[in-house]
Amino acid sequence: MKKYPAEPFKIKAVETIEMTTKEQRKEAIKEAGYNTFLLDSDQVYIDLLTDSGTSAMSDKQWASLMIGDEAYAGSDNWYKLEKAVKEVYGFDYVVPTHQGRGAENLLSQIMIEEGDYIPGNMYFTTTKAHQKLNGGKFVDVIVDEGHQPSVDAPFKGNVDLDKYQELIDEVGADKIPYICVAVTVNMAGGQPVSMDNLKKVKEISEKNDIKVMYDATRCVENAYFIKEREDGYEDKTVAEILKEMMSYADGCTMSGKKDCLVNIGGFLAMNDEDIYTEATQLVVVYEGMPSYGGLAGRDMEAMAQGIYESVDPNYIEHRVKQVRYLGDRLAEAGVPIIKPVGGHAVFIDAKSFLSHLSQDQLPAQALAAAIYVDSGVRSMERGIVSAGRDADGNHCYPELETVRLTIPRRVYTYAHMDVVADSVINLYENRDSIKGLEFVYEPPVLRFFTSRFAPIE
């Protein structure tokens, strides 16, 4: 029998959660247009919509809120955050933002010019949107295994070095301001990138005068996978591995709402003083002073504390293995999931789960709605709806059509994971009864947040 570590914490405060009936949930999802994003929190029993901003803060982080220095400029908390970023990640310069997409906005505006190409190891929704809005074109250079849910490979987030070099040869290095490397790759199922691959990406990039910028949102989870899976790193600490990972980047965007263990916040970090200077000018327009970037002092203090807590070996082992526990339960019951299980979520392969539905019938969206009705568990679609439309207005058809069961950090227990697993397994045994969906409202950008749907009769 597999062993999973017990929670490395004890519970000091509790938050009650709603228990609803199936009839109530049927009505709620209908009113929400079969979009789990449009459900109210009090209609949800176990909320696996996202791990963004949903972490439980520690006692030390809550104490940090009480020493917030709310000065408009030069806050003590800003200097603590800057120190934590430099010590844990190793970058020379830091610009705080209200969350990760604020950092994406700054990076895209500073570095992208009309007609540029931005290679990356699979798209992410907001990242791709910022690149497109600033005149850039995203190009996927992830290894082929990243698009193959049943392939169980240790580093499915790796950049395909041949694809990367081919793009450079085709469009010219001067049209590629930077490569965006996600560590881990969310849309591929939370898959990690190996240290060897990061080194080689850096070598190719330096040779062609291309910057390497990480989407470092879940970089601690990536470091843990390197420790587990890559030769030569088994005896190194997660903190040591993380520092080496970051040494192969010129900078990063960070959503502090994930690995930094806070409910709001982020930053743009870099080693280039010129980029830093531009970022400090632009952040004033969109976020606030370079010493607070849209954050209260207390939020910066809590994020600084969370950065240090994120590399605690007991915390990160439990974090990854709690997610793995849910994945193992589903896989053992024959439920098709992306393998191997990533660090922040279990991704159900909705194409295989609902093989009687075509991708145009939005199987992942339909399955997310069905899971909610069955058990009150809120998940989210990551497939054709999230992929949006191309320049000609046609649907983009991603190879991966998934439902993401995203585990908040330090929030739920293994018993909650059992409730989720039982619900998904029950639906899998009765999957032919799940109907497809069609759009009844669709916004032009990032449609998965607010689109509304109806069942196909």
Side-chain angles (χ1 to χ4, degrees), residues 64-135:
S64 296
L65 298 182
M66 301 307 296
I67 54 173
D69 174 7
E70 305 307 339
Y72 188 81
S75 162
D76 287 344
N77 313 121
W78 151 242
Y79 292 113
K80 290 182 182 178
L81 174 59
E82 182 184 45
K83 181 173 181 283
V85 172
K86 289 182 177 181
E87 287 184 351
V88 176
Y89 305 115
F91 293 112
D92 294 332
Y93 304 104
V94 189
V95 178
T97 59
H98 76 285
Q99 60 181 44
R101 68 194 61 173
E104 290 174 346
N105 177 43
L106 296 180
L107 177 65
S108 298
Q109 291 211 36
I110 291 167
M111 296 194 69
I112 297 175
E113 296 181 357
E114 188 72 35
D116 280 347
Y117 295 82
I118 316 299
N121 52 342
M122 198 171 288
Y123 83 99
F124 184 69
T125 51
T126 59
T127 313
K128 183 180 177 181
H130 282 298
Q131 292 167 356
K132 182 179 178 180
L133 288 169
N134 285 280

Side-chain angles (χ1 to χ4, degrees), residues 103-395:
E104 290 174 346
N105 177 43
L106 296 180
L107 177 65
S108 298
Q109 291 211 36
I110 291 167
M111 296 194 69
I112 297 175
E113 296 181 357
E114 188 72 35
D116 280 347
Y117 295 82
I118 316 299
N121 52 342
M122 198 171 288
Y123 83 99
F124 184 69
T125 51
T126 59
T127 313
K128 183 180 177 181
H130 282 298
Q131 292 167 356
K132 182 179 178 180
L133 288 169
N134 285 280
K137 180 181 179 180
F138 167 79
V139 180
D140 190 1
V141 293
I142 197 170
V143 293
D144 290 342
E145 293 85 350
H147 293 285
Q148 299 166 357
S150 62
V151 174
D152 194 341
F155 293 105
K156 290 169 68 174
N158 279 357
V159 171
D160 186 312
L161 303 175
D162 291 334
K163 291 180 185 177
Y164 182 29
Q165 185 63 57
E166 286 169 6
L167 178 66
I168 295 170
D169 295 340
E170 178 184 348
V171 305
D174 59 326
K175 300 298 292 181
I176 304 175
Y178 64 94
I179 179 172
C180 181
V181 183
V183 286
T184 58
V185 184
N186 185 355
M187 301 296 280
Q191 301 301 322
V193 185
S194 73
M195 193 74 81
D196 180 66
N197 189 250
L198 293 173
K199 291 178 186 177
K200 290 174 179 174
V201 169
K202 180 63 172 173
E203 289 170 3
I204 293 172
S205 301
E206 280 192 336
K207 181 181 177 181
N208 290 278
D209 197 26
I210 297 170
K211 299 288 188 187
V212 177
M213 305 299 290
Y214 289 170
D215 174 348
T217 296
R218 300 177 181 87
C219 57
V220 182
E221 293 170 10
N222 199 102
Y224 182 84
F225 285 125
I226 288 174
K227 180 177 175 64
E228 268 196 332
R229 301 174 183 176
E230 192 161 1
D231 290 343
Y233 289 93
E234 58 275 3
D235 295 326
K236 291 184 178 292
T237 67
V238 169
E240 290 169 339
I241 295 168
L242 179 62
K243 198 74 167 287
E244 183 181 344
M245 278 173 52
M246 294 302 179
S247 73
Y248 303 122
D250 296 291
C252 76
T253 58
M254 172 65 81
S255 170
K257 297 164 68 176
K258 285 86 167 176
D259 268 356
C260 300
L261 299 170
V262 286
N263 308 124
I264 198 69
F267 58 81
L268 174 64
M270 72 292 289
N271 294 323
D272 188 302
E273 187 174 5
D274 291 337
I275 296 175
Y276 172 69
T277 300
E278 287 192 63
T280 58
Q281 296 166 1
L282 204 57
V283 74
V284 178
V285 178
Y286 292 100
E287 306 280 333
M289 280 285 290
S291 59
Y292 77 90
L295 295 172
R298 56 183 173 269
D299 296 322
M300 292 190 287
E301 186 77 24
M303 184 154 59
Q305 175 64 31
I307 287 170
Y308 291 116
E309 291 181 11
S310 72
V311 293
D312 174 79
N314 294 321
Y315 154 74
I316 189 59
E317 180 188 20
H318 172 265
R319 162 62 179 164
V320 172
K321 290 186 177 178
Q322 185 185 48
V323 177
R324 191 173 297 167
Y325 172 80
L326 175 59
D328 287 345
R329 276 219 55 199
L330 295 181
E332 287 164 5
V335 176
I337 62 173
I338 290 184
K339 298 178 180 179
V341 175
H344 72 291
V346 177
F347 286 68
I348 303 170
D349 179 3
K351 275 186 183 178
S352 298
F353 194 112
L354 300 180
S355 58
H356 61 286
L357 300 181
S358 71
Q359 198 165 15
D360 284 311
Q361 293 173 308
L362 317 181
Q365 193 73 43
L367 180 54
I371 293 170
Y372 170 72
V373 171
D374 185 71
S375 58
V377 174
R378 175 158 64 170
S379 57
M380 71 170 295
E381 181 268 2
R382 277 299 185 223
I384 187 174
V385 178
S386 292
R389 294 182 183 270
D390 62 22
D392 296 322
N394 300 311
H395 288 302

Side-chain angles (χ1 to χ4, degrees), residues 29-30 32-36 354 356-370 381 384-385 395 401 434-440 451-457:
I29 198 67
K30 182 179 179 181
Y34 297 87
N35 186 344
T36 54
L354 300 180
H356 61 286
L357 300 181
S358 71
Q359 198 165 15
D360 284 311
Q361 293 173 308
L362 317 181
Q365 193 73 43
L367 180 54
E381 181 268 2
I384 187 174
V385 178
H395 288 302
E401 180 77 19
I434 300 175
K435 297 179 180 180
L437 297 173
E438 60 186 357
F439 281 93
V440 295
S451 286
R452 301 181 76 87
F453 310 90
I456 299 172
E457 297 299 338

Side-chain angles (χ1 to χ4, degrees), residues 41 44-50 54 376-379 406-408 412:
S41 176
V44 175
Y45 173 39
I46 299 174
D47 202 342
L48 307 187
L49 184 73
T50 181
T54 56
V377 174
R378 175 158 64 170
S379 57
T406 332
I407 316 302
Y412 293 117

